[in-house]
Amino acid sequence: MTEDAHLVDNVESSQSREIFWDKDVYNLELERVFGRSWLFLGHESLLPKPGDFITTYMAEDKVILSHQQDGSFRAFINSCTHRGNQICHADSGNAKAFVCNYHGWVYGQDGRLVDVPLETRCYHGQLDKAKLGAKHVRVETYKGFIFGCGDADAPSLEEYLGEFRWYLDTIWEGAGGGLELLGPPMKSILACNWKVPTENFVGDGYHVGWTHAGALGQIGGELAGLAGNRADMPFEELGFQFTTRHGHGFGVINNAAAAIHVKRDGWAKYLADTRAEVGRKFGPEREELYVGHWNCSIFPSCSFLYGTNTFKVWHPRGPHEIEVWTYTMVPRDADAATKSMIQREATRSFGTAGTLESDDGENMSSATHVNRGNITRDGRMDSSMGVGFEGPHPVYPGIVGSSFIGETSHRGFYRFWKEMLDAPDWAAVKANDDNWDSVFTNRDYWADKIEAAE
Amino acid sequence: MSVKQISVAQDVHFAIEAHYRTEVRLWQTGQYREWLKEMVAEDIHYWMPIYEQRFIRDRRPDPTPHDAAIYNDDYGELKQRVERLYSGTVWMEDPPSKIRYMVSNVEAFDAGDGEFDVYSNVVVYRNRRQLEMTVHTLGREDKLRRVGDDFQVFRRKLNIDARVTQDKNLYFFC
Ligand code: FES
Ligand SMILES: [Fe+2]
């Protein structure tokens, strides 16, 4: 892959349509994006006891995530080292061991090969079980969220999240209790490239008023004015967009955390009761973020809406299809009734039959599949909204865009995506650490704006 | 369900099947407001739980309405879903998609007090745009209540026969 601007042009803010269609691009993504990034595997709350496990994916690789006797988590490829059969077919459970259905090889909770049928009689004592454990991937956790990585040279999870933790801590730690995830996940197939929903969540505040006009009209509340883009709103006072070193980013709509929830008494009260403590711990800017609504993606393929509290993983299945997994995020220390109502409201809006989810799916699949056309595919997509109305900020880390309706975090996502595709290894990525944000050229945007306001 | 339940008389069975045929006709012709008003009781619980793939030896209980569910609606929430479809701004239904239902294996039992436990199988065929086609099969467990000379549903549990939904959404009534 050359370092030219064909796939992603950071100057013109455009992308080739091949990024949603081309098989070679996808294969390179499997190797260089998914193979080297930290990928969301689960949350401690989904497997609370030793022996608990869940099965999931890292891109197209099947993985078992297993809670160890010492309280740590391990993850290993869900494929037997004998003849390759899938080891475990359950979604979740509690197991002392995993037994392969084919010839009965037995793997421990830690993935070590512990027993082989007829070992002495038929392998004649020559099988080196220590070498035949299931293949491990790295596992690290941050505030209860568990990630896996297939690259020994990748930085730690904390470094990978980088300055984005400044934002994440606001909600993943919050007033102190932090978040947990409620499963089991809803799962559905969507015929789209995995980057379409990721870019939609990372920074598409633009589509909300139009795509979701029907649903927003029914829900009412703070966002009803967005429906149909009819209201004349001061968008520069309603929120921001952010992008960070490794492509993680989000948009925030101020004071709208629970806007999508109709039955929100418990959740609104929880936010009201805890915001002062968040302000005390993290300062006024993050207290403001805490009561805003976030549309967020963690590079590459994990997204959530904080406030609505839906949590998604977009597992790729080839360039033109994904498996959507949907969990709900809830405050760990909220009461049971509040957690349950948050889950119901998050599902009613963004579950498999969600009133807003149902608006999004068709856009995502048609934005992918239209590119099968040869003339179509030999074209570009634009993401230039708000270019120049963004830059480094004295308080917020990363690059900050002036409005939640803009494409700052799109640009930041594709900037890093291209960097990962181009880089031969993580050392090459790290070499850009000091000038990664130079593509956002208006360095004085915020200094000028803040000075003008004073 | 026990095999000892009391099956309804033939005329009641016929009336329940006729009720289901009417319900399907209303859905297939987009008369959602009429469906909700005439055929759904105001104390409805409309529920499509999520069943994980679990080992048979797994002793965890089945899902309850307090767990994650694809549908977990009361009357007001169903009404919100219905009204969204009349907003004129649901772009994916314009041009409208096609939907066809096959309801079969209706088994009805008298639960006393004018209430009936009814089990049925449903096949839902959706055809959208040029080539999109999806099929879903569901087992349906209803509690119907006699209202005048017709019925209203006040409990509906939908068991969808797929762990991974092979469709972009499940936004249809069933
Ligand atoms: S393939 Fe697993 S035991 Fe042979
Ligand atoms: Fe959306």
Side-chain angles (χ1 to χ4, degrees):
Chain A
M1 188 60 46
T2 56
E3 294 197 29
D4 64 23
H6 174 64
L7 292 181
V8 175
D9 187 331
N10 287 323
V11 176
E12 296 296 323
S13 303
S14 70
Q15 301 85 33
S16 164
R17 287 160 170 268
E18 286 167 16
I19 69 168
F20 290 167
W21 191 260
D22 193 90
K23 184 82 183 155
D24 293 337
V25 170
Y26 179 74
N27 287 337
L28 200 62
E29 285 178 326
L30 289 182
E31 180 193 321
R32 295 195 162 186
V33 174
F34 291 101
R36 303 197 300 207
S37 298
W38 284 96
L39 305 176
F40 171 80
L41 294 178
H43 188 281
E44 289 169 4
S45 56
L46 298 170
L47 54 170
K49 299 186 302 292
D52 285 352
F53 70 89
I54 58 176
T55 54
T56 182
Y57 292 97
M58 291 174 66
E60 302 213 38
D61 288 300
K62 295 191 176 210
V63 174
I64 298 172
L65 174 64
S66 164
H67 190 144
Q68 306 299 295
Q69 294 301 324
D70 67 3
S72 66
F73 296 90
R74 305 198 89 183
F76 44 92
I77 298 298
N78 191 358
S79 173
C80 182
T81 53
H82 176 222
R83 301 306 306 155
N85 188 37
Q86 183 170 330
I87 297 169
C88 178
H89 291 276
D91 289 350
S92 73
N94 185 283
K96 288 196 174 59
F98 301 95
V99 184
C100 178
N101 288 344
Y102 203 167
H103 311 91
W105 282 24
V106 181
Y107 297 85
Q109 289 167 342
D110 56 2
R112 274 184 308 126
L113 181 61
V114 293
D115 196 33
V116 169
L118 310 180
E119 184 183 353
T120 43
R121 276 178 289 164
C122 298
Y123 282 103
H124 313 289
Q126 292 173 342
L127 191 74
D128 188 353
K129 294 211 293 293
K131 285 195 175 137
L132 289 165
K135 187 172 185 176
H136 276 89
V137 296
R138 291 171 68 188
V139 175
E140 292 180 18
T141 66
Y142 189 70
K143 311 277 183 202
F145 290 79
I146 308 168
F147 290 74
C149 181
D151 184 357
D153 296 327
S156 69
L157 175 62
E158 290 206 0
E159 253 182 277
Y160 176 80
L161 294 171
E163 80 278 35
F164 198 60
R165 287 178 294 141
W166 190 89
Y167 298 104
L168 278 181
D169 289 353
T170 314
I171 56 169
W172 282 17
E173 186 180 317
L179 295 176
E180 61 185 19
L181 287 191
L182 301 181
M186 282 165 273
K187 301 180 179 181
S188 60
I189 297 291
L190 186 55
C192 72
N193 182 271
W194 66 273
K195 293 185 291 305
V196 186
T198 305
E199 68 161 51
N200 176 275
F201 274 65
V202 84
D204 198 328
Y206 190 23
H207 85 294
V208 176
W210 190 250
T211 290
H212 299 300
L216 289 183
Q218 284 312 305
I219 290 166
E222 296 91 326
L223 300 188
L226 293 176
N229 294 326
R230 282 186 294 269
D232 183 19
M233 287 185 165
F235 286 117
E236 301 227 333
E237 286 149 38
L238 290 184
F240 300 102
Q241 286 208 330
F242 306 92
T243 187
T244 59
R245 171 67 187 100
H246 295 134
H248 321 305
F250 70 114
V252 62
I253 310 178
N254 293 339
N255 290 313
I260 297 294
H261 288 208
V262 177
K263 294 178 182 167
R264 61 165 85 161
D265 292 354
W267 179 213
K269 181 171 187 313
Y270 181 90
L271 289 167
D273 290 349
T274 50
R275 67 175 291 172
E277 174 61 11
V278 170
R280 195 191 61 74
K281 282 169 69 175
F282 298 114
E285 289 83 6
R286 284 189 277 181
E287 182 183 336
E288 197 64 34
L289 292 176
Y290 184 71
V291 294
H293 185 276
W294 302 20
N295 51 281
C296 178
S297 291
I298 297 172
F299 189 92
S301 55
C302 168
S303 300
F304 62 80
L305 300 175
Y306 166 73
T308 297
N309 284 6
T310 191
F311 188 99
K312 304 263 189 189
V313 191
W314 322 105
H315 298 293
R317 297 169 53 90
H320 312 143
E321 188 174 279
I322 61 170
E323 199 169 305
V324 180
W325 287 22
T326 307
Y327 299 89
T328 304
M329 308 192 297
V330 294
R332 216 189 282 245
D333 56 2
D335 61 78
T338 296
K339 289 184 190 184
S340 176
M341 192 49 77
I342 291 172
Q343 184 178 41
R344 288 181 65 164
E345 288 288 331
T347 305
R348 191 169 301 113
S349 50
F350 278 96
T352 304
T355 50
L356 284 92
E357 179 88 349
S358 304
D359 295 324
D360 284 315
E362 175 162 89
N363 294 337
M364 294 175 183
S365 60
S366 76
T368 299
H369 281 266
V370 74
N371 293 307
R372 71 186 301 140
N374 203 47
I375 304 170
T376 310
R377 192 162 69 251
D378 183 25
R380 304 195 66 78
M381 297 178 289
D382 182 90
S383 60
S384 65
M385 183 185 273
V387 165
F389 291 75
E390 64 202 356
H393 190 283
V395 177
Y396 302 104
I399 290 291
V400 186
S402 66
S403 162
F404 82 94
I405 301 190
E407 286 164 349
T408 303
S409 37
H410 271 212
R411 291 189 284 277
F413 173 81
Y414 283 111
R415 189 209 62 74
F416 185 62
W417 178 82
K418 176 181 188 300
E419 189 180 348
M420 287 293 265
L421 281 199
D422 288 343
D425 52 30
W426 265 103
V429 176
K430 282 181 193 162
N432 300 330
D433 276 354
D434 292 334
N435 65 349
W436 69 273
D437 65 353
S438 59
V439 301
F440 299 94
T441 52
N442 189 355
R443 311 304 296 174
D444 298 327
Y445 176 75
W446 285 105
D448 292 349
K449 187 165 171 154
I450 290 164
E451 196 182 284
E454 278 164 3
Chain B
M1 176 189 50
S2 144
V3 289
K4 295 203 191 93
Q5 283 171 286
I6 306 159
S7 291
V8 297
Q10 244 181 15
D11 58 332
V12 178
H13 201 278
F14 183 83
I16 288 172
E17 288 199 312
H19 173 87
Y20 283 158
R21 282 191 288 272
T22 304
E23 186 170 48
V24 161
R25 178 167 50 76
L26 292 179
W27 288 331
Q28 288 178 176
T29 53
Q31 300 181 70
Y32 305 113
R33 282 178 176 151
E34 290 76 4
W35 166 68
L36 192 68
K37 184 161 180 290
E38 303 296 333
M39 311 194 89
V40 181
E42 289 192 8
D43 58 342
I44 180 77
H45 180 234
Y46 184 96
W47 185 37
M48 187 188 289
I50 300 166
Y51 283 89
E52 275 193 298
Q53 296 271 335
R54 291 179 182 168
F55 289 125
I56 293 168
R57 65 166 187 268
D58 194 324
R59 295 288 175 78
R60 285 176 291 170
D62 280 341
T64 74
H66 298 292
D67 296 309
I70 294 169
Y71 281 87
N72 205 350
D73 284 12
D74 63 19
Y75 191 86
E77 290 153 354
L78 275 182
K79 190 171 160 70
Q80 194 186 59
R81 291 183 193 274
V82 164
E83 290 303 319
R84 172 178 167 274
L85 296 171
Y86 289 85
S87 67
T89 51
V90 177
W91 315 125
M92 79 169 277
E93 288 302 326
D94 190 8
S97 52
K98 304 264 184 256
I99 191 161
R100 193 71 59 195
Y101 295 80
M102 313 292 158
V103 177
S104 72
N105 297 66
V106 175
E107 219 185 347
F109 302 96
D110 198 327
D113 297 329
E115 295 181 358
F116 303 91
D117 294 329
V118 189
Y119 304 87
S120 55
N121 292 348
V122 186
V123 180
V124 186
Y125 171 90
R126 294 209 288 179
N127 194 304
R128 308 189 55 260
R129 300 302 189 225
Q130 303 294 315
L131 292 170
E132 273 181 44
M133 188 198 86
T134 57
V135 179
H136 304 281
T137 71
L138 303 98
R140 196 166 66 176
E141 300 175 16
D142 278 354
K143 286 183 180 295
L144 301 184
R145 179 184 294 137
R146 251 233 203 269
V147 176
D149 51 7
D150 201 355
F151 305 92
Q152 285 189 332
V153 61
F154 65 100
R155 291 284 178 281
R156 177 158 281 178
K157 182 182 176 195
L158 299 163
N159 298 308
I160 189 154
D161 299 319
R163 176 63 185 101
V164 182
T165 299
Q166 299 197 36
D167 202 341
K168 51 168 58 79
N169 65 61
L170 290 171
Y171 200 110
F172 54 80
F173 301 106
C174 181

